[in-house]
Amino acid sequence: MKKTRLNLAVDLLSFLLFWLLTLSGLILQWKLPAGSGRLAAAHGPVRLLWNMDRQAWGSLHAQLSLLLTLA
C-alpha cells in the first residue's frame, strides 16, 4: 500500500472516530446526565438511549477514546 493511501486511511479512521467520540460525549452530557443511571427502586426508572444505559455509553466513550488515541 502506498504511503499516501495509508495516510488517507488513517485520517479517515481518525475523522470517523473523532465524530463518534463527540457524539457519545454529547449523549452523555445532554441525554443521559449524571444520576440518570441510578437504581430504579430508589430513584425512578433508569434512562436508556438505544437500549443502552449511562454505564454502557460511558464504556463505549472510553473505548472510542482509546481507539482514537491508537489511530
Side-chain angles (χ1 to χ4, degrees):
M1 184 182 259
K2 290 184 181 180
K3 188 175 180 180
T4 55
R5 286 187 184 223
L6 180 62
N7 284 341
L8 179 63
V10 170
D11 288 347
L12 289 175
L13 177 64
S14 297
F15 181 76
L16 175 67
L17 289 170
F18 169 77
W19 284 110
L20 290 173
L21 188 64
T22 301
L23 177 65
S24 67
L26 289 173
I27 287 172
L28 285 169
Q29 181 69 30
W30 299 106
K31 290 293 184 186
L32 299 171
S36 63
R38 293 190 176 131
L39 295 175
H43 300 283
V46 175
R47 295 187 63 185
L48 297 176
L49 180 64
W50 297 323
N51 216 18
M52 294 169 58
D53 63 357
R54 181 173 171 79
Q55 183 70 29
W57 278 103
S59 178
L60 176 67
H61 187 73
Q63 291 171 2
L64 287 171
S65 68
L66 289 175
L67 286 174
L68 181 60
T69 301
L70 290 175

